[in-house]
Each structure stands twice: as C-alpha cells, then as structure tokens.
Amino acid sequence: MKTVEVRLPQEYDKSFIVFQEVGQFFPCPWHYHPEYELVLVLKSTGRRMVGDHIGYFDAGDLVFMGPSLPHVWVNDPEFFRGEAECQADAIVVQFVDNFLGKPFMDIPEMEPFRNFLMRSNRGMEITGATREKITDLMKQMLTMNGLQRISALLSVFDLLANTTDYEMLASPGYVQNIPLKSSDHLRKINQYIMQNFQEEITLPEIAGVANMALTTFCCFFKEHYRVSFVEYLNTVRIGHACKLISEKDLNIVEAATESGFNNLANFNRQFKKIKRMTPSEYRKTLNAAV
C-alpha cells in the first residue's frame, strides 16, 4: 500500500497547527508527515489504521502519533454513500518538537513530556479522564489565538506527560525502533531484539545481553515494557510480518518464516491474538483501504 507525505496548511502567524476537518467523509489517504499529531474525532465512525494497527473509531476517539508514522482514518461506507446521519468531523493538532525553540524543549520541566514524545513513534490511543480533559482543551483551541492557544497546548502536554491513560497502537516490529527512557539496559535489549527477532532468542540469551540474572531480567522487562519478553517478541515479529504483507505482498507462509516463526499454526494463533484477525483478513482489510 503506497504511503504519501501529506502536510496541513499552517498560518504564517501561528507556531503550530490547529485544524478542523469537516466533510462528508475524511478525505486523507494512507499518509505520514514530519509533525507530531493529535487527532480528536468529534463525529462519525469507521476504521483507523496506525502503522500496522487496525482499530475502529467513533465520536470521542483521541489518538497521538509521532512523526513519520503512516496512518489513515477511513469512514464507514454510509459516509461515502452520503447516507450517514452526520458529517465526518475531527480536530487535528500538529507541531514539530522545536516549535517553541530547542532551548525550551530542553529545559528540565519538559523532561516528562520529552519522554512521552519518545514513546509516541508507535502511536497511542488516549483514554479515560485524560481524554476528557484534552477533548475540552482541543475544542477551546479552535477559537483561541496567541498566548491563550499556546497555554492550552502546554496544558495538553502536561496531561500527556503525566498520564497512564493510553494504549500503544503500532507494534515495535513495524516501526523498528522504540526509544524509551534513557537506559543502557533498554538500549541493549531493544537493539538485540530488533537485530535478531527473525532468529530464535531464548530468555537466558537475552538476559545475558542485559547482564542480568534471569529472574531479575523478567521483572525488569515486565516493568518497562508492560508485557513479558515472549509477548513482546511475538509482537515485534507480527509487526514485521504485517510490514512484509503490506509492502512486499508476500504470501502468509513467507511472511511467517521471514518474521521468525517456524510453525505456521503458531504464527496464525499469535497473529489473531495480537491483531484480532487472521493474516488473510488483515490483507483483505489493507486492500479495502486502498
């Protein structure tokens, strides 16, 4: 599926973009851009794709994405046929990481938000009370100008920097890089996984890479990645398989083998567990979005 770079227009006297998209349906194709992006759906329903993640959206859906992450929001068929009861309506906020100047982003107070940005390369669905507060701020930003609008965006940054109300979307195997908190252990672990996930990686082997005892490593990994090492490795492999299916049009067996699965049944089982659909259904969904 071809990805195109898409840019929103920015006003000459504004340092970042606040844009309301209203129409019969969301027109943007499968695309990427260099800005960070926050998308709030006000009205309409459909399917959203962020990297290799395929999910469903309706009113209130809020997603944050890092730069260059391919994505698209595809409305349900009734919107394209003009039969929906409402128009598609969303608010989009885009900014580059140095839009207030690099010295500002480097101040100590911005460290929690910098860490949040480092995790956003996979895209995040924002949920819970954080979503409700950010929704209110984004609606207000449409009629704000100047310092008021910057102040509102900084309030959004503060909410994002201190929340746990989110779910990661694209898999680490799709984006090929997940720079978490600055840690030599995390860097070594992640680098080794990304370089060797197509081969067998045992727990003692990866614990040795991190220079940890097996029990210590398992606890450390679960604390930082929120899942076990085996779960994470399967997620990386399935993400890579999705990339192969979408970009190289490989058949299912070839994608499984090149992603580190020696057993097709296990590949199909893990794929359905992680993507909530079979590999064949995933390919059909991709083709339908083109």
Side-chain angles (χ1 to χ4, degrees), residues 57-279:
F57 70 84
D58 55 14
D61 187 66
L62 182 63
V63 171
F64 186 86
M65 294 168 288
S68 301
L69 178 62
H71 56 278
V72 66
W73 270 241
V74 181
N75 286 111
D76 285 328
E78 57 264 32
F79 287 88
F80 291 94
R81 295 195 300 262
E83 300 171 355
E85 296 180 355
C86 65
Q87 286 189 303
D89 190 356
I91 301 173
V92 178
V93 174
Q94 289 186 348
F95 62 92
V96 294
D97 57 3
N98 62 348
F99 78 104
L100 290 175
K102 191 175 184 302
F104 178 82
M105 291 299 291
D106 288 340
I107 65 176
E109 290 85 353
M110 293 299 289
E111 182 178 4
F113 185 61
R114 289 198 303 270
N115 288 334
F116 177 85
L117 292 181
M118 291 171 67
R119 296 190 294 271
S120 69
N121 62 340
R122 293 171 56 191
M124 303 164 169
E125 179 183 1
I126 310 300
T127 61
T130 303
R131 178 177 63 184
E132 295 177 9
K133 294 175 182 177
I134 291 177
T135 294
D136 289 340
L137 286 166
M138 290 181 68
K139 290 178 178 178
Q140 294 173 39
M141 288 169 69
L142 289 173
T143 57
M144 289 178 174
N145 282 299
L147 290 176
Q148 282 186 332
R149 201 171 72 149
I150 291 177
S151 176
L153 185 61
L154 290 177
S155 294
V156 170
F157 289 176
D158 181 60
L159 288 166
L160 292 174
N162 295 287
T163 190
T164 57
D165 294 340
Y166 64 85
E167 295 181 10
M168 305 301 293
L169 297 180
S171 66
Y174 185 88
V175 298
Q176 289 295 302
N177 184 30
I178 179 170
L180 299 175
K181 293 179 182 177
S182 179
S183 163
D184 193 49
H185 287 306
L186 289 172
R187 182 187 61 77
K188 288 180 178 179
I189 291 168
N190 194 68
Q191 183 179 42
Y192 192 84
I193 291 172
M194 292 305 176
Q195 290 177 348
N196 298 279
F197 68 85
Q198 293 167 297
E199 309 295 332
E200 182 182 2
I201 305 177
T202 65
L203 270 173
E205 180 182 352
I206 192 67
V209 170
N211 196 26
M212 294 180 182
L214 189 57
T215 303
T216 302
F217 170 80
C218 290
C219 293
F220 175 86
F221 196 95
K222 191 73 176 279
E223 177 185 359
H224 287 276
Y225 287 83
R226 300 187 181 186
V227 294
S228 70
F229 168 70
V230 173
E231 290 172 321
Y232 183 84
L233 180 60
N234 282 332
T235 302
V236 170
R237 287 170 170 168
I238 294 301
H240 184 68
C242 288
K243 196 170 186 179
L244 294 176
I245 291 171
S246 65
E247 293 183 359
K248 296 188 177 181
D249 199 32
L250 297 186
N251 65 48
I252 304 303
V253 175
E254 291 172 327
T257 302
E258 291 196 23
S259 300
F261 288 94
N262 297 320
N263 184 298
L264 185 60
N266 183 43
F267 170 74
N268 288 328
R269 183 168 57 252
Q270 295 300 331
F271 197 104
K272 189 165 187 179
K273 178 182 177 182
I274 293 168
K275 293 298 169 189
R276 299 180 184 176
M277 62 181 73
T278 66

